Amino acid sequence: LNNFVEQEEFLFQPVLITTTSVIETTQTNLAAPVFNPNNRVGEPSDVNFIFDLLADLDADTYDTIMIYSDTFGAEVPVVPATSVQGDTRTYTISKWAELQPMLLQGAAAGFQAQFTNWKNQPYVIPGGVKWYIYVWKDHNIIQKIDFDFTAEVDPHPLVPTPTLVTGNDKIRAVTELDFTFTPYNDIPPGGTIEINIDPDYMTIGPKCDITGLVGAYCTIQSDGDETNSDPKSVLVTATQGYTAGSSIKIVVSSRNPPTGGNTDPFELTTYWPTGEIIDQDLNYAVINIDASATYNVFDLVSLEQKRFKTCGGNPGPMKIKYRLRNGLTYPNDFITITLPPEFGQPLGFPVIDETRELLCYFKYSDVYNLKTHRCDMNGQDIIFYAPEEKDFLANEYIELTITSRGADTVYQDGIVVPAVPGDYFVRVTTSNNLEEAYLIARIEPCPFNNFLAESAVWESGEKTLFNFYAQTTSTMPSSGNGGRIVVEIPTHNEIIATFDPDLGTGIGVSSSELFGCGSVCTNCPGTNALNPDTGTHMECTMLTADAQTWGDSTVIFTSNIQQINIGSDFNFQLARIPNAVGVGWPYFYHIRIRTQQRQADGSYIDLNDHWAYFLVPAQYVANGLAVGGGTGFFAFTNNQVNQGSEVRKNYQAGDTVDLLDVGDYIIYEWDPRDVELPNRITCEEYVDNIDRTAAWCASMRDGSWMNMQLTIKYPLPWTFRLYGYRQPHYRVNGGFTIREYHVRQHRIIGIYDHNGQNVNRDIYVVMQTPSNTNDAATEFKYQIGVVPQTNIVQVKYFRLWMPDIFINPHDCTIRRGLVPQDVNDPTKPVVCQITTSGGYHMFEFYDFYYNGDGWFIFDITITNPAAPQLTPAWQATSYDNYLVDLTRTIDSRGNADGQTWVGILPITNYFRVFRNTISHENRRAAEGEWAEVHVRVQTKNAVPPNSGRVEVWLPTEFDIPNGGDIICEIGHDYHDDLEGQSCSISADRKIYMNTDPVHGIPANTCSLIRSTTENSIGGNNGF
């Protein structure tokens, strides 16, 4: 014990174990310990705990002073706390520390337990900390002492002295505040840094750059109203925490106060994730604002784009409306507009010649379109002079329009705006230096190019497909953070209610669930569909509106998707949306669709924003067509549950399909919706066995819809083929229906039903006993192996039926393959329940997570039948639910095998028995003997040479050889030619055998697998 200074923190709750029934003495409310020289968060200090020690504590024994608190007030420092009296240990998680004497500590009044380098509490604990001491003597607690609450710890100041730099100290100036500082203590992941700023600052943000923290993000409190003194702060969340020792730099944009003098002190505080203070500086810095600038603020009413919305890095006219407090006159007075660096000059500028010029037009209350004699652009400054015809008069509203003439590209005149939507500061000053103003230029997201939106079906009450065609104006997403498509569907058009808030799903208002969506993309990386950045398929989530009222919309958004390149045409579709019930005016719909870029902090900004006006300008009375029977040949190439299949539909001469023409829709609808459609669908249309591939296909996976739009008129007969379809993961009892809609010019012209039935896959049972003879009427512990063919996590319940010629099954124990739903709760194991009726013992397994690796094993103790025999077969079924709907079976087999021989088979021994030999029946190795492992297997699939592998996992009761050369065979004939066979044995009793370049295991053939060793230590070859 003398060599141990600090132990592992394996105790998560304070536990005292003692044989003492009564503590001899208790002292309460002793004077609280004092921390010297400072009582500050995280700072090492000297501290003494003073109390009356009633008995000697011997050196180098289990005699111990244990110090404990309810709210732990100490940490394990880099350099552990020490004591001249003995060894110390600190358990942060368990909230206690120990002092184990290495010198005799004699009983004394006013005894002091002394500590040096005691690292104080990790954050401010309001009201201080209450300490307790337990004194242990000869394995017994002889004293319990509690102390008064310590003085509340102080936050630790920042070190070294922090700095604050401002780019411009003039009143009302747009500038940046640069905070550089070093916290004294660590900040755990999720902790925060808060900077409080003088509320007289006119605005803070939106810029906020962080250096020195990984993955951190900003939240700025500032209402943006420059006329009031609202609270202003910057909150930085350290998502991955901070380790003390390095500096942090935070730079935020701001606009200085409108008056001069010293600001209120800036305040900086670091916080624990749960809100407790760690480090703090309430007098971080003060800035003296220079009042020598004599600018008056003149009115800037707006900055906007004229005629059309300019966005996405494109050029366009700008318009400003302003009012001066002091007039400006021709010819020398001018106004300067300073644009942020994200803005650009007109295309082809700064060259100015007879073909290019910057144009500035003014609109007064009495004069329109008055052009100034001089309008220049120098870098980011636009400078325009008072026109000759009319001065800029004080207190008169003037409207200015700025554009260009002669840009390099036709119809691309004007100022180039930022490519990224957002708010940007614009500064305006006058040539007489008397006035200055700032405004925010708000650059909106672009509408799409080549946009088209339609509803496939306009009939009242019918289900429809929303189909959007668009071209992006920028690459989305432009970074690795991801992006998404968002569609807003208003539930009311301001005149009448339109769409149900839950779009006919039945989940109600203010709810969410997955929703059917699909896509086609002509220039998306690697595919013809929009793909998620993680996972196998794009998912859409629906958030239903709170009510069916004007202003309430249901929102559908995709998962984060991979890039859509700039200028790419893409298609996005939504499935199974029921039209409102009603006809004609005012049944019109406005639908909004946006693309969004995900930011590092998890928020999204719009890149494209488009309204689809009058998506359905009116509705028709539904045709009320009767559902026709399936026409033509409709089939799957694989009907088994959860299996991929090709879908084929043959359209024949005489079908109503010969009405279909270019632009018509064919929509397939699956019920139930548990069909798994692929994210990317491949459709082929064969005419005379030649693939024409002349249609766009999109699957809407979570809506179980597939849409195809014809681009040519097919001669009959022709065949449609769909690839990537997967059958429902369970057997649909009674079969399922695939409904086929034919749609032309927004009306349904045909409805046809096709019936399908998927089937269960097999499941097998294997019985194994450790006995050589497996005697009749004898109790054994069997191992039962269950081998499902469908290995998916949707498996929730197994039923096995064992013939009741076996007697009294009990002690059912899961050995592998089924995992408890909560592995941290030992009171909720996997349930194995046994009941007997109808000639079978039924085993039920539930409350598990199935890892889907192909099999599971359980032990069961049973008594064999009374007579030797080959036992009857088992039955077995798996389900995707527990006792909710037992028609939803996955794998099922009435003859699941599981047969075994009970009793020794009578085999005549035709061999002459010589001395020192034993017959075949008794040649198996006895208990404790070393022997070869032989396994006979008959695999359903071939194991290939060279790349195949067999693993034999031995139970822990077996021993493994020590040293020697391992020998193994896989599938050899007559045990010859063992060259090239690679084998190994692991410490956990697993034998790994790789096939050699020649021999594999053929399918459906009984093959031998053998393993042993040569030259092992002690002659113990084998296992």
Side-chain angles (χ1 to χ4, degrees):
L1 289 178
N2 292 342
N3 296 327
F4 284 83
V5 176
E6 178 182 334
Q7 294 183 351
E8 294 294 329
E9 297 173 10
F10 55 85
L11 297 174
F12 288 83
Q13 293 294 333
V15 178
L16 302 179
I17 303 175
T18 177
T19 58
T20 302
S21 58
V22 178
I23 297 175
E24 293 185 3
T25 254
T26 299
Q27 291 178 281
T28 59
N29 298 323
L30 297 185
V34 177
F35 294 83
N36 292 304
N38 298 304
N39 184 26
R40 299 194 295 205
V41 169
E43 183 171 328
S45 305
D46 295 339
V47 59
N48 295 337
F49 294 85
I50 303 174
F51 61 95
D52 295 338
L53 181 62
L54 303 182
D56 293 344
L57 300 183
D58 295 326
D60 201 13
T61 66
Y62 287 106
D63 293 357
T64 305
I65 297 172
M66 193 199 81
I67 304 170
Y68 164 73
S69 71
D70 293 322
T71 52
F72 194 58
E75 297 181 272
V76 176
V78 177
V79 179
T82 59
S83 175
V84 296
Q85 297 163 309
D87 285 348
T88 63
R89 289 177 288 273
T90 306
Y91 305 92
T92 302
I93 298 175
S94 307
K95 305 175 185 176
W96 74 39
E98 293 178 1
L99 170 59
Q100 186 174 3
M102 290 299 145
L103 300 170
L104 174 67
Q105 302 298 312
F111 176 82
Q112 296 186 26
Q114 304 170 7
F115 291 88
T116 300
N117 199 38
W118 180 289
K119 195 169 189 294
N120 216 330
Q121 58 203 61
Y123 50 78
V124 175
I125 299 175
V129 175
K130 189 172 183 64
W131 291 98
Y132 303 87
I133 279 184
Y134 294 94
V135 179
W136 290 63
K137 174 71 175 175
D138 299 330
H139 300 281
N140 294 318
I141 297 178
I142 63 171
Q143 287 182 256
K144 177 182 177 182
I145 302 101
D146 72 66
F147 297 86
D148 284 338
F149 281 91
T150 61
E152 185 173 302
V153 69
D154 296 324
H156 206 287
L158 304 172
V159 291
T161 303
T163 62
L164 172 59
V165 178
T166 180
N168 189 337
D169 62 357
K170 304 295 185 181
I171 59 173
R172 296 190 298 273
V174 174
T175 184
E176 291 182 349
L177 299 173
D178 182 334
F179 301 87
T180 303
F181 57 95
T182 303
Y184 179 85
N185 290 288
D186 293 351
I187 303 174
T192 56
I193 302 169
E194 183 179 48
I195 303 174
N196 289 320
I197 297 173
D198 188 334
D200 287 339
Y201 271 79
M202 300 178 73
T203 57
I204 297 296
K207 175 181 177 179
C208 182
D209 293 338
I210 307 167
T211 305
L213 293 174
V214 178
Y217 63 90
C218 271
T219 304
I220 294 177
Q221 180 186 4
S222 177
D223 66 4
D225 185 349
E226 299 183 355
T227 63
N228 63 25
S229 296
D230 60 305
K232 295 177 176 66
S233 64
V234 177
L235 185 69
V236 174
T237 301
T239 56
Q240 298 185 32
Y242 163 81
T243 301
S246 59
S247 64
I248 298 172
K249 182 175 183 178
I250 301 172
V251 180
V252 295
S253 56
S254 63
R255 188 174 182 200
N256 286 341
T259 57
N262 286 339
T263 64
D264 291 344
F266 292 79
E267 299 175 352
L268 190 147
T269 306
T270 65
Y271 292 94
W272 203 259
T274 49
E276 294 84 1
I277 296 174
I278 307 174
D279 298 342
Q280 188 175 63
D281 193 334
L282 298 180
N283 193 17
Y284 182 96
V286 172
I287 293 178
N288 184 270
I289 301 299
D290 185 356
S292 62
T294 58
Y295 293 129
N296 291 318
V297 178
F298 64 89
D299 290 344
L300 276 174
V301 179
S302 64
L303 171 69
E304 59 190 38
Q305 284 74 47
K306 186 179 180 181
R307 293 196 303 272
F308 60 91
K309 183 183 293 185
T310 305
C311 60
N314 294 312
M318 289 176 25
K319 184 167 64 176
I320 298 175
K321 189 176 182 180
Y322 62 91
R323 183 178 63 175
L324 297 172
R325 285 176 169 74
N326 300 278
L328 297 176
T329 60
Y330 172 84
N332 297 319
D333 291 345
F334 59 86
I335 296 175
T336 301
I337 299 175
T338 301
L339 298 174
E342 291 83 0
F343 284 76
Q345 295 185 350
L347 302 177
F349 284 62
V351 176
I352 301 292
D353 54 27
E354 65 276 6
T355 64
R356 292 188 181 93
E357 66 174 322
L358 195 68
L359 301 176
C360 294
Y361 292 95
F362 301 96
K363 176 184 176 182
Y364 296 83
S365 59
D366 56 348
V367 180
Y368 293 84
N369 295 329
L370 188 60
K371 179 177 176 290
T372 181
H373 68 288
R374 184 176 177 185
C375 183
D376 303 327
M377 188 165 188
N378 181 15
Q380 298 306 112
D381 291 338
I382 298 174
I383 303 168
F384 58 92
Y385 286 76
E388 181 179 0
E389 294 81 359
K390 186 170 183 176
D391 293 334
F392 297 150
L393 302 179
N395 297 313
E396 180 179 10
Y397 278 110
I398 303 171
E399 191 174 282
L400 165 68
T401 300
I402 304 171
T403 185
S404 65
R405 177 177 64 84
D408 283 349
T409 306
V410 178
Y411 305 121
Q412 293 291 294
D413 282 307
I415 306 301
V416 177
V417 302
V420 179
D423 294 340
Y424 298 87
F425 273 115
V426 175
R427 179 176 182 241
V428 185
T429 57
T430 58
S431 56
N432 58 12
N433 289 328
L434 295 179
E435 303 188 57
E436 179 188 41
Y438 291 86
L439 70 155
I440 291 178
R442 176 158 294 163
I443 305 303
E444 301 287 350
C446 285
F448 293 104
N449 293 330
N450 302 333
F451 185 79
L452 173 66
E454 66 173 353
S455 173
V457 178
W458 289 4
E459 295 176 64
S460 170
E462 293 286 359
K463 287 173 287 189
T464 187
L465 166 82
F466 281 178
N467 207 349
F468 302 95
Y469 298 89
Q471 185 183 88
T472 57
T473 60
S474 60
T475 295
M476 191 288 294
S478 59
S479 70
N481 292 323
R484 65 184 182 182
I485 298 173
V486 181
V487 177
E488 295 180 31
I489 302 177
T491 60
H492 201 285
N493 66 10
E494 200 173 4
I495 301 174
I496 60 171
T498 53
F499 294 100
D500 290 336
D502 62 4
L503 301 183
T505 59
I507 65 172
V509 299
S510 305
S511 301
S512 67
E513 74 170 9
L514 293 178
F515 197 84
C517 63
S519 67
V520 178
C521 182
T522 59
N523 193 23
C524 295
T527 181
N528 66 351
L530 301 176
N531 283 328
D533 58 0
T534 59
T536 59
H537 66 282
M538 178 179 67
E539 287 186 344
C540 286
T541 301
M542 174 178 63
L543 302 178
T544 64
D546 296 331
Q548 195 171 22
T549 57
W550 171 242
D552 280 317
S553 295
T554 291
V555 177
I556 299 171
F557 59 90
T558 67
S559 52
N560 284 327
I561 59 177
Q562 294 179 9
Q563 281 189 347
I564 307 174
N565 294 325
I566 184 172
S568 295
D569 293 314
F570 74 94
N571 163 258
F572 182 68
Q573 303 181 22
L574 296 174
R576 291 194 183 215
I577 298 176
N579 283 326
V581 178
V583 177
W585 179 263
Y587 285 96
F588 59 87
Y589 307 148
H590 296 175
I591 309 297
R592 185 184 186 190
I593 179 170
R594 293 178 285 162
T595 59
Q596 294 185 327
Q597 169 77 50
R598 186 176 185 270
Q599 304 300 291
D601 62 1
S603 62
Y604 288 84
I605 61 170
D606 292 337
L607 295 182
N608 290 111
D609 189 351
H610 209 118
W611 280 92
Y613 292 100
F614 303 105
L615 189 68
V616 179
Q619 289 183 249
Y620 303 132
V621 175
N623 280 331
L625 293 178
V627 178
T631 60
F633 173 77
F634 196 99
F636 303 98
T637 56
N638 190 333
N639 284 321
Q640 292 184 315
V641 297
N642 202 59
Q643 294 301 292
S645 174
E646 178 185 328
V647 181
R648 296 183 179 182
K649 170 66 189 293
N650 184 30
Y651 295 100
Q652 303 170 351
D655 284 349
T656 56
V657 75
D658 58 6
L659 298 173
L660 292 178
D661 205 342
V662 176
D664 292 349
Y665 285 102
I666 299 176
I667 297 174
Y668 293 102
E669 175 183 282
W670 276 262
D671 275 312
R673 299 192 187 187
D674 297 281
V675 168
E676 183 177 319
L677 291 172
N679 177 57
R680 181 169 82 80
I681 202 166
T682 301
C683 297
E684 295 178 351
E685 297 78 33
Y686 285 84
V687 179
D688 298 329
N689 290 321
I690 299 174
D691 179 13
R692 300 294 183 89
T693 313
W696 269 23
C697 295
S699 70
M700 282 144 280
R701 179 187 180 107
D702 293 303
S704 294
W705 265 33
M706 197 285 295
N707 162 52
M708 177 173 66
Q709 190 171 20
L710 303 183
T711 55
I712 66 172
K713 184 172 184 177
Y714 292 101
L716 294 173
W718 66 280
T719 301
F720 161 74
R721 296 183 184 180
L722 165 66
Y723 299 93
Y725 167 82
R726 184 174 295 276
Q727 293 284 3
H729 69 263
Y730 64 93
R731 181 182 180 275
V732 180
N733 190 39
F736 54 87
T737 299
I738 300 176
R739 178 159 289 184
E740 180 180 352
Y741 296 93
H742 296 165
V743 179
R744 172 178 296 161
Q745 296 178 356
H746 310 294
R747 305 206 73 165
I748 298 173
I749 61 174
I751 306 175
Y752 309 94
D753 279 353
H754 309 281
N755 296 320
Q757 176 65 72
N758 58 344
V759 297
N760 298 113
R761 300 183 74 196
D762 287 333
I763 184 172
Y764 300 95
V765 177
V766 179
M767 294 188 72
Q768 177 179 299
T769 175
S771 170
N772 292 342
T773 57
N774 201 24
D775 296 330
T778 305
E779 184 177 84
F780 291 107
K781 177 180 284 189
Y782 277 84
Q783 282 194 326
I784 311 298
V786 182
V787 187
Q789 298 299 293
T790 306
N791 295 295
I792 53 177
V793 297
Q794 286 91 338
V795 176
K796 302 299 181 186
Y797 178 42
F798 285 99
R799 276 186 174 181
L800 309 176
W801 290 268
M802 180 179 69
D804 66 359
I805 62 170
F806 292 97
I807 302 169
N808 188 28
H810 60 280
D811 294 340
C812 176
T813 304
I814 303 296
R815 290 302 182 192
R816 77 170 307 277
L818 302 182
V819 181
Q821 291 180 345
D822 185 355
V823 295
N824 296 315
D825 188 350
T827 66
K828 295 181 180 179
V830 177
V831 175
C832 174
Q833 183 173 301
I834 306 171
T835 56
T836 302
S837 66
Y840 288 93
H841 302 293
M842 184 173 71
F843 293 79
E844 298 177 86
F845 298 91
Y846 53 93
D847 286 352
F848 60 79
Y849 172 79
Y850 181 51
N851 59 18
D853 68 349
W855 51 303
F856 75 91
I857 295 175
F858 67 96
D859 288 349
I860 188 70
T861 301
I862 49 180
T863 300
N864 277 338
Q869 59 182 287
L870 177 65
T871 61
W874 289 50
Q875 298 178 21
T877 301
S878 62
Y879 306 83
D880 77 342
N881 65 93
Y882 172 60
L883 299 184
V884 177
D885 183 357
L886 295 186
T887 68
R888 293 169 62 110
T889 57
I890 300 176
D891 294 342
S892 186
R893 188 175 175 88
N895 180 3
D897 203 340
Q899 295 175 283
T900 188
W901 276 100
V902 172
I904 298 175
L905 292 179
I907 299 177
T908 304
N909 187 352
Y910 294 103
F911 296 92
R912 182 178 178 184
V913 180
F914 291 89
R915 187 176 59 181
N916 297 329
T917 65
I918 56 177
S919 64
H920 171 78
E921 292 95 314
N922 297 318
R923 201 177 298 141
R924 295 183 181 180
E927 183 178 290
E929 291 183 344
W930 291 83
E932 298 184 2
V933 170
H934 286 195
V935 181
R936 290 283 184 184
V937 297
Q938 182 170 323
T939 61
K940 296 186 178 297
N941 299 292
V943 178
N946 206 37
S947 61
R949 182 173 181 172
V950 174
E951 298 180 10
V952 179
W953 296 7
L954 298 178
T956 56
E957 290 82 3
F958 281 76
D959 201 355
I960 59 176
N962 189 1
D965 302 315
I966 181 171
I967 298 173
C968 61
E969 299 179 59
I970 301 178
H972 294 72
D973 295 329
Y974 308 116
H975 311 277
D976 61 358
D977 186 20
L978 301 183
E979 296 297 325
Q981 194 81 63
S982 173
C983 318
S984 62
I985 305 171
S986 68
D988 57 350
R989 292 164 177 76
K990 294 178 182 176
I991 307 172
Y992 301 100
M993 295 176 278
N994 299 304
T995 55
D996 68 11
V998 177
H999 302 92
I1001 301 177
N1004 300 310
T1005 302
C1006 185
S1007 300
L1008 172 69
I1009 298 172
R1010 179 175 77 98
S1011 181
T1012 186
T1013 58
E1014 291 181 345
N1015 304 318
S1016 295
I1017 294 175
N1020 296 328
N1021 292 309
F1023 302 88

